[in-house]
Coordinates of all heavy atoms in Angstrom, one line a residue:
N728 N -8.8 13.4 -5.7 CA -8.0 14.5 -5.1 C -6.5 14.3 -5.2 O -5.8 14.9 -4.5 CB -8.4 14.6 -3.7 CG -9.9 15.1 -3.5 OD1 -10.3 16.0 -4.2 ND2 -10.6 14.4 -2.6
S729 N -6.1 13.4 -6.1 CA -4.7 13.0 -6.2 C -3.9 14.1 -7.0 O -4.4 14.7 -7.9 CB -4.5 11.7 -6.9 OG -3.1 11.4 -7.0
K730 N -2.6 14.3 -6.5 CA -1.7 15.2 -7.2 C -0.8 14.5 -8.2 O 0.0 15.1 -8.9 CB -0.9 16.0 -6.2 CG -1.7 16.9 -5.3 CD -0.9 17.7 -4.3 CE -1.7 18.7 -3.6 NZ -2.8 18.2 -2.8
F731 N -1.0 13.2 -8.3 CA -0.2 12.4 -9.3 C -0.7 12.7 -10.7 O -1.8 13.1 -10.9 CB -0.4 10.9 -9.1 CG 0.3 10.4 -7.8 CD1 -0.4 9.8 -6.8 CD2 1.7 10.5 -7.7 CE1 0.2 9.3 -5.7 CE2 2.4 10.0 -6.6 CZ 1.6 9.4 -5.5
T732 N 0.2 12.5 -11.7 CA -0.2 12.7 -13.1 C -1.0 11.5 -13.5 O -1.1 10.5 -12.9 CB 1.1 12.8 -14.0 OG1 1.7 11.5 -13.9 CG2 2.0 13.8 -13.6
D733 N -1.7 11.7 -14.7 CA -2.6 10.6 -15.2 C -1.7 9.3 -15.4 O -2.2 8.2 -15.2 CB -3.3 11.0 -16.5 CG -4.4 12.0 -16.2 OD1 -4.7 12.2 -15.0 OD2 -4.8 12.7 -17.2
E734 N -0.5 9.5 -15.9 CA 0.4 8.4 -16.2 C 0.8 7.7 -14.9 O 0.8 6.4 -14.9 CB 1.7 8.9 -17.0 CG 1.5 9.3 -18.4 CD 0.9 10.8 -18.5 OE1 0.8 11.5 -17.4 OE2 0.4 11.1 -19.5
E735 N 1.1 8.4 -13.9 CA 1.4 7.8 -12.6 C 0.3 7.1 -12.0 O 0.4 6.0 -11.5 CB 1.9 8.9 -11.6 CG 3.3 9.5 -12.0 CD 3.6 10.7 -11.2 OE1 2.7 11.5 -10.8 OE2 4.8 10.9 -10.9
I736 N -0.9 7.7 -12.1 CA -2.1 7.0 -11.6 C -2.4 5.7 -12.4 O -2.8 4.7 -11.7 CB -3.4 7.9 -11.7 CG1 -3.2 9.1 -10.7 CG2 -4.7 7.2 -11.5 CD1 -4.3 10.2 -10.8
D737 N -2.2 5.7 -13.7 CA -2.4 4.4 -14.5 C -1.4 3.4 -14.0 O -1.8 2.2 -13.9 CB -2.1 4.7 -15.9 CG -3.3 5.5 -16.6 OD1 -4.3 5.6 -16.0 OD2 -3.0 6.1 -17.7
E738 N -0.2 3.7 -13.7 CA 0.8 2.7 -13.2 C 0.4 2.2 -11.8 O 0.5 1.0 -11.5 CB 2.2 3.4 -13.2 CG 3.3 2.4 -13.0 CD 4.7 3.0 -13.1 OE1 4.8 4.0 -14.0 OE2 5.6 2.6 -12.4
I739 N 0.0 3.2 -10.9 CA -0.4 2.8 -9.6 C -1.6 1.9 -9.6 O -1.7 0.9 -8.8 CB -0.6 4.0 -8.7 CG1 0.7 4.8 -8.4 CG2 -1.3 3.7 -7.4 CD1 0.5 6.2 -7.9
D740 N -2.5 2.2 -10.5 CA -3.8 1.4 -10.6 C -3.5 0.0 -10.9 O -4.2 -0.9 -10.4 CB -4.6 2.0 -11.8 CG -6.0 1.5 -11.8 OD1 -6.6 1.2 -10.7 OD2 -6.5 1.2 -12.9
I741 N -2.5 -0.3 -11.7 CA -2.1 -1.7 -12.1 C -1.4 -2.4 -10.9 O -1.7 -3.5 -10.6 CB -1.1 -1.7 -13.3 CG1 -1.9 -1.2 -14.5 CG2 -0.6 -3.1 -13.5 CD1 -1.0 -0.8 -15.7
E742 N -0.6 -1.6 -10.2 CA 0.2 -2.3 -9.1 C -0.5 -2.4 -7.8 O -0.2 -3.2 -6.9 CB 1.5 -1.4 -8.9 CG 2.4 -1.5 -10.1 CD 3.7 -0.6 -9.9 OE1 3.7 0.2 -8.9 OE2 4.6 -0.6 -10.8
A743 N -1.5 -1.5 -7.5 CA -2.1 -1.4 -6.2 C -2.6 -2.7 -5.6 O -2.4 -3.0 -4.5 CB -3.2 -0.4 -6.2
P744 N -3.3 -3.6 -6.4 CA -3.9 -4.8 -5.9 C -2.8 -5.7 -5.3 O -3.1 -6.4 -4.2 CB -4.6 -5.5 -7.1 CG -4.9 -4.4 -8.0 CD -3.8 -3.4 -7.8
D745 N -1.6 -5.7 -5.9 CA -0.6 -6.6 -5.4 C 0.2 -5.9 -4.2 O 0.9 -6.6 -3.4 CB 0.4 -7.0 -6.5 CG -0.3 -7.9 -7.5 OD1 -1.1 -8.7 -7.1 OD2 0.0 -7.7 -8.7
L746 N 0.2 -4.6 -4.2 CA 1.0 -3.9 -3.1 C 0.2 -3.8 -1.8 O 0.8 -3.8 -0.7 CB 1.2 -2.4 -3.6 CG 2.2 -2.3 -4.8 CD1 2.3 -0.8 -5.2 CD2 3.6 -2.8 -4.4
I747 N -1.1 -3.8 -1.9 CA -1.9 -3.6 -0.6 C -1.7 -4.7 0.4 O -1.5 -4.3 1.6 CB -3.4 -3.5 -1.0 CG1 -3.7 -2.1 -1.7 CG2 -4.3 -3.7 0.2 CD1 -5.1 -2.0 -2.3
P748 N -1.6 -6.0 0.1 CA -1.3 -6.9 1.2 C 0.0 -6.7 1.9 O 0.1 -6.8 3.1 CB -1.3 -8.3 0.5 CG -2.1 -8.1 -0.7 CD -1.9 -6.7 -1.2
N749 N 1.0 -6.3 1.1 CA 2.3 -5.9 1.7 C 2.2 -4.7 2.6 O 2.8 -4.6 3.7 CB 3.4 -5.7 0.6 CG 4.0 -6.9 0.1 OD1 4.5 -7.7 0.9 ND2 4.0 -7.1 -1.2
C750 N 1.4 -3.8 2.2 CA 1.2 -2.5 3.0 C 0.6 -2.9 4.3 O 1.0 -2.4 5.4 CB 0.2 -1.6 2.3 SG 0.9 -0.8 0.8
V751 N -0.4 -3.8 4.3 CA -1.1 -4.2 5.6 C -0.1 -4.9 6.5 O 0.0 -4.6 7.7 CB -2.3 -5.0 5.3 CG1 -2.9 -5.6 6.6 CG2 -3.4 -4.2 4.5
A752 N 0.7 -5.8 5.9 CA 1.7 -6.5 6.7 C 2.7 -5.6 7.4 O 3.0 -5.7 8.5 CB 2.4 -7.6 5.9
T753 N 3.1 -4.6 6.6 CA 4.1 -3.6 7.1 C 3.5 -2.8 8.3 O 4.1 -2.6 9.3 CB 4.5 -2.7 6.0 OG1 5.2 -3.4 5.0 CG2 5.5 -1.6 6.5
I754 N 2.3 -2.4 8.1 CA 1.6 -1.6 9.1 C 1.4 -2.4 10.4 O 1.6 -2.0 11.5 CB 0.2 -1.1 8.6 CG1 0.5 0.0 7.6 CG2 -0.6 -0.5 9.8 CD1 -0.8 0.4 6.8
L755 N 1.0 -3.7 10.2 CA 0.7 -4.6 11.4 C 1.9 -4.7 12.3 O 1.8 -4.9 13.5 CB 0.2 -5.9 10.9 CG -1.3 -5.9 10.4 CD1 -1.6 -7.3 9.8 CD2 -2.3 -5.6 11.5
H756 N 3.1 -4.8 11.7 CA 4.3 -4.9 12.5 C 4.4 -3.8 13.5 O 4.9 -4.0 14.6 CB 5.5 -4.9 11.6 CG 5.9 -6.3 11.1 ND1 6.4 -7.3 11.8 CD2 5.7 -6.8 9.8 CE1 6.6 -8.3 11.1 NE2 6.1 -8.1 9.9
Q757 N 4.0 -2.6 13.2 CA 4.1 -1.4 14.0 C 2.8 -1.2 14.9 O 2.9 -0.9 16.1 CB 4.4 -0.2 13.2 CG 5.7 -0.2 12.4 CD 6.8 0.3 13.3 OE1 6.7 1.4 13.9 NE2 7.9 -0.4 13.3
S758 N 1.7 -1.4 14.2 CA 0.4 -1.1 14.9 C 0.0 -2.2 15.9 O -0.7 -2.0 16.9 CB -0.7 -0.8 13.9 OG -1.1 -2.0 13.2
R759 N 0.3 -3.5 15.5 CA -0.1 -4.6 16.3 C 1.1 -5.5 16.6 O 1.2 -6.7 16.1 CB -1.2 -5.4 15.6 CG -2.5 -4.7 15.3 CD -3.3 -4.4 16.5 NE -3.6 -5.6 17.2 CZ -4.6 -6.5 16.9 NH1 -5.3 -6.3 15.9 NH2 -4.8 -7.5 17.7
P760 N 2.1 -5.0 17.3 CA 3.4 -5.8 17.6 C 3.1 -7.1 18.2 O 3.9 -8.1 18.1 CB 4.2 -4.9 18.4 CG 3.2 -3.9 19.1 CD 2.1 -3.7 18.0
E761 N 2.0 -7.2 19.0 CA 1.7 -8.5 19.7 C 1.4 -9.6 18.6 O 1.7 -10.8 18.8 CB 0.6 -8.4 20.7 CG -0.8 -8.3 20.1 CD -1.2 -6.9 19.5 OE1 -0.3 -6.0 19.5 OE2 -2.3 -6.7 19.2
L762 N 0.9 -9.2 17.5 CA 0.6 -10.2 16.4 C 1.9 -10.6 15.8 O 2.1 -11.8 15.5 CB -0.3 -9.6 15.3 CG -1.7 -9.3 15.7 CD1 -2.5 -8.8 14.5 CD2 -2.4 -10.6 16.2
A763 N 2.8 -9.7 15.6 CA 4.1 -10.0 15.0 C 4.9 -11.0 15.8 O 5.5 -11.9 15.3 CB 5.0 -8.7 14.8
G764 N 4.8 -10.8 17.2 CA 5.4 -11.8 18.1 C 4.8 -13.1 18.0 O 5.5 -14.1 18.0
T765 N 3.5 -13.2 17.8 CA 2.8 -14.5 17.7 C 3.3 -15.3 16.5 O 3.5 -16.5 16.5 CB 1.3 -14.3 17.7 OG1 0.9 -13.6 18.8 CG2 0.6 -15.7 17.6

């Protein structure tokens, strides 16, 4: 259901595995601030 072009999807497909851990860390700072403090 993506609105990205095929070329953009190909690029995201390559980068996604390395971006996901950073995404989770960024979210945790806001969603679980008690963990960030620890």
Side-chain angles (χ1 to χ4, degrees):
N728 295 315
S729 178
K730 293 180 173 63
F731 288 118
T732 65
D733 289 346
E734 290 78 12
E735 287 170 331
I736 290 173
D737 287 344
E738 192 172 326
I739 291 168
D740 190 39
I741 293 167
E742 295 176 352
D745 294 321
L746 292 174
I747 286 170
N749 275 310
C750 289
V751 174
T753 300
I754 290 169
L755 287 172
H756 274 287
Q757 297 272 313
S758 69
R759 301 288 306 279
E761 75 280 8
L762 289 183
T765 303

